[in-house]
Amino acid sequence: MFNRSFHNLFMESMIVGATLLAGTSAYAEERNLVTTGIQANIPTAIAQTPKIPAIDSDVTVPQTNKMSQVTSVSQFSDVQPTDWAFQALQSLVERYGCIAGYSNSTYRGNRAITRYEFAAGLNACLSRINELIATATSDLVTKEDLTTVQRLQEEFTAELATLRGRVDNLESRTAELEANQFSTTTKLSAEAIFVVTNAFQGTVNGDNTVFQDRVRLVFKTSFTGRDTLNTRLTAGNTSTLQLPGGSAEGLQTFNLVPNNNNQVAVDWLSYYFPVGSKIDAYIGAINGVYFDFVPTLSPYLDSATGGGRALTEFASSSPIYRIGGGAGGGFNYRLSDQLVLSLGYLAGDHASPQLDSGFFNGQYSAFGQIAWNPNKNSGIGLTYVNAYQNRGAIFDLGSGFTLVGTEQANTPFERMITNSYGVEAFYKFSSRFAVNGFFGYTNAKNLAGSGSADIWYYALGLAFPDLGKQGNLGGILVGAEPYRGGNPAPANDSSLHIEGFYKYQLTDNIAITPGVIWITAPAQNNDNEDAVIGTVRTTFTF
């Protein structure tokens, strides 16, 4: 009885190498084999794929490639009783337990395998043979059986030795990585910007070329594989090119630093995490802003405050996303595949216990937006922001540092309530040409007296991705930074912001972006000379 079973097992073990490991690449199979410990003679050749700790929330582990032991051939949805190998599979699964399947109940038996994969499957069933021999009396196994088994082992000696060598090598490399890695849950990304810039005309500083820098180190930590904690260290020596009348028009993204003496400071601390399957939540503890998590519908020009796309804050996205900031939170709720609702609350005086301050009684902004993307090539958003300002400017991210617009538009009153309305849209005509634009209106009500102010802003931008080669980006934007309508003379003229840039991707980690920014009638005054600013920005990322 045992001798007959042994013969069946022997013949079936010849088949297992051709069918056991189907459905994955040779390398993926080798990684699975490493984790299951072939050297320990485990009867099952393949166990589940090891779970890889994710760093970013979009990093996932493919679940369909996991393999596990099955107990019945009927568990395979793609194996039928009429298949030529059905009986062999049935015995290997149900009688000897030396075959595995995929978690989606498939076997994938029609895929070709390598000799290494065959050796791995053969090794699993040979291990099972050894167990049967060890538990039976020696006279029940014929010399012919043992000779055949020995011949099979000798035939695949090289492959089995190679597999063991690869396992030893991978284990050594893994041990080295574990001993020297920075963290199992945190990865480091960085951006360094070197800038040569000059205002050829129209600024208070005059014609003076400067060389400036800004460096950011971001530690991204994940605790669950789906969340991300961002801790950013920043240092730089950038100073703004001052326009007449205290205008913030033409401010470039690299000008945002916690100080200008190259002293390191934590200037961003935020946490992203999912709530269920439809809500992506956000908490900002230091310098939280809405464009951290809200879709700005400016897919090619918006790099937030980074150095990867447009030169200026105004060209990146609508100024409405720069109303308020500080500490607080928000979320994006996916109503459908095309519709996203965004809500948020940020307080600029969140840490101050003084009168007219704090998380609820001081400067704040409450945000709401509905964004509709009918397809991947287009989108439109409707945005509303209610804010209270008792210091600083309207478009200041809650920091008191003005990012966009004229002085008249940013500080029409000392204490005010603002209600802002915006519409943003983009359309990708092709993979190499896209258009985006925005229009916004802010009404500011004076809380220290009577009166109100109307503030307007709008722009149209053209983006040319992969212009010249893959990774490059050309951009042109024309618009009006926030200005106060009906302002008394002489600051009642129309001002335009015209910007053109070309990012040349020198390598995967180095980009050079020359560009020109032209501001007509700075500070809403035609008596002021137009400002023309030239910039060459070099961005290093890793």
Side-chain angles (χ1 to χ4, degrees):
M1 180 67 182
F2 175 78
N3 191 40
R4 181 180 302 174
S5 298
F6 180 79
H7 275 287
N8 290 341
L9 176 59
F10 167 73
M11 295 304 296
E12 289 152 358
S13 68
M14 298 289 293
I15 301 172
V16 68
T19 52
L20 178 63
L21 304 175
T24 59
S25 68
Y27 174 77
E29 294 298 339
E30 178 183 325
R31 185 178 66 177
N32 289 345
L33 292 173
V34 169
T35 61
T36 55
I38 290 179
Q39 296 171 332
N41 291 325
I42 304 175
T44 303
I46 297 295
Q48 291 190 351
T49 302
K51 183 174 178 62
I52 303 173
I55 294 297
D56 295 326
S57 57
D58 59 344
V59 177
T60 57
V61 179
Q63 299 299 314
T64 57
N65 283 338
K66 292 185 177 180
M67 305 186 74
S68 59
Q69 180 63 47
V70 294
T71 58
S72 173
V73 73
S74 62
Q75 293 178 242
F76 294 132
S77 61
D78 57 349
V79 175
Q80 305 299 324
T82 55
D83 293 338
W84 67 272
F86 179 82
Q87 290 183 347
L89 291 174
Q90 187 177 40
S91 292
L92 290 171
V93 173
E94 299 175 6
R95 297 178 62 185
Y96 304 112
C98 64
I99 196 168
Y102 291 88
S103 59
N104 61 355
S105 300
T106 61
Y107 181 65
R108 307 180 191 176
N110 60 348
R111 174 187 168 275
I113 64 171
T114 67
R115 286 177 62 87
Y116 291 126
E117 293 170 338
F118 182 90
L122 178 62
N123 184 74
C125 283
L126 289 177
S127 298
R128 180 60 176 162
I129 291 175
N130 290 333
E131 291 180 5
L132 292 175
I133 293 175
T135 57
T137 57
S138 58
D139 57 348
L140 293 180
V141 181
T142 67
K143 183 178 179 180
E144 293 178 357
D145 293 334
L146 294 177
T147 301
T148 307
V149 170
Q150 182 179 8
R151 189 168 61 249
L152 274 174
Q153 289 177 323
E154 291 174 353
E155 173 69 20
F156 287 93
T157 297
E159 284 77 9
L160 292 173
T162 302
L163 279 175
R164 291 189 177 97
R166 291 189 177 188
V167 169
D168 292 341
N169 183 48
L170 288 174
E171 286 180 345
S172 176
R173 294 173 61 184
T174 301
E176 182 179 355
L177 287 173
E178 290 177 348
N180 296 281
Q181 65 184 337
F182 171 74
S183 171
T184 58
T185 59
T186 301
K187 78 172 185 179
L188 172 67
S189 63
E191 177 191 73
I193 298 176
F194 296 165
V195 181
V196 176
T197 185
N198 187 0
F200 298 105
Q201 66 177 45
T203 69
V204 175
N205 310 98
D207 183 0
N208 191 22
T209 301
V210 295
F211 178 78
Q212 301 175 338
D213 70 85
R214 189 189 71 185
V215 179
R216 286 175 166 176
L217 303 177
V218 183
F219 297 90
K220 298 183 178 181
T221 303
S222 178
F223 305 99
T224 67
R226 300 179 63 199
D227 61 338
T228 306
L229 173 66
N230 296 280
T231 305
R232 187 174 69 198
L233 305 179
T234 301
N237 67 353
T238 65
S239 298
T240 60
L241 302 175
Q242 299 177 6
L243 271 63
S247 177
E249 297 164 290
L251 182 83
Q252 300 184 62
T253 60
F254 62 82
N255 284 129
L256 274 72
V257 293
N259 56 67
N260 60 0
N261 296 316
N262 273 318
Q263 296 178 357
V264 179
V266 179
D267 76 327
W268 185 43
L269 182 62
S270 66
Y271 183 55
Y272 298 83
F273 60 97
V275 179
S277 60
K278 292 188 176 182
I279 298 177
D280 296 317
Y282 163 85
I283 296 176
I286 299 177
N287 288 337
V289 292
Y290 291 117
F291 53 76
D292 271 354
F293 68 99
V294 174
T296 61
L297 296 106
S298 182
Y300 288 114
L301 299 183
D302 187 12
S303 63
T305 61
R309 294 179 180 172
L311 291 175
T312 65
E313 281 292 310
F314 178 68
S316 293
S317 59
S318 174
I320 200 169
Y321 299 110
R322 288 152 181 80
I323 300 177
F331 62 87
N332 295 320
Y333 178 62
R334 292 183 292 277
L335 300 172
S336 68
D337 291 339
Q338 292 81 32
L339 210 58
V340 176
L341 172 67
S342 301
L343 298 175
Y345 177 89
L346 297 171
D349 293 324
H350 56 90
S352 174
Q354 302 300 320
L355 185 66
D356 205 16
S357 298
F359 191 66
F360 295 108
N361 295 324
Q363 179 172 291
Y364 77 87
S365 60
F367 182 97
Q369 175 176 285
I370 188 77
W372 180 51
N373 293 84
N375 51 60
K376 65 179 182 180
N377 295 319
S378 61
I380 186 170
L382 300 176
T383 308
Y384 169 74
V385 181
N386 173 264
Y388 166 63
Q389 279 91 10
N390 59 357
R391 61 174 180 82
I394 295 176
F395 305 96
D396 69 346
L397 299 181
S399 66
F401 181 79
T402 309
L403 277 76
V404 292
T406 66
E407 180 72 12
Q408 296 84 359
N410 273 281
T411 55
F413 311 110
E414 183 177 351
R415 294 176 62 247
M416 53 189 158
I417 286 285
T418 62
N419 291 283
S420 302
Y421 312 86
V423 56
E424 306 81 29
F426 74 91
Y427 187 82
K428 297 179 184 178
F429 287 91
S430 70
S431 61
R432 295 181 179 270
F433 177 59
V435 176
N436 70 277
F438 57 80
F439 177 86
Y441 165 72
T442 297
N443 176 264
K445 181 180 179 181
N446 186 7
L447 296 180
S450 60
S452 64
D454 296 322
I455 298 135
W456 307 87
Y457 37 96
Y458 49 86
L460 179 68
L462 308 178
F464 305 90
D466 299 329
L467 182 62
K469 74 167 190 175
Q470 186 175 4
N472 292 356
L473 175 64
I476 300 173
L477 182 129
V478 179
E481 297 200 28
Y483 67 93
R484 181 176 179 179
N487 202 58
N492 60 352
D493 297 315
S494 297
S495 177
L496 285 179
H497 175 118
I498 304 170
E499 179 176 336
F501 68 91
Y502 179 65
K503 184 188 80 169
Y504 180 77
Q505 197 69 41
L506 188 64
T507 69
D508 290 341
N509 304 101
I510 304 174
I512 300 175
T513 309
V516 176
I517 305 159
W518 178 18
I519 308 296
T520 68
Q524 302 183 215
N525 191 344
N526 278 326
D527 294 336
N528 294 326
E529 184 181 27
D530 289 358
V532 179
I533 302 170
T535 294
V536 178
R537 180 186 68 196
T538 303
T539 305
F540 304 84
T541 57
F542 63 89

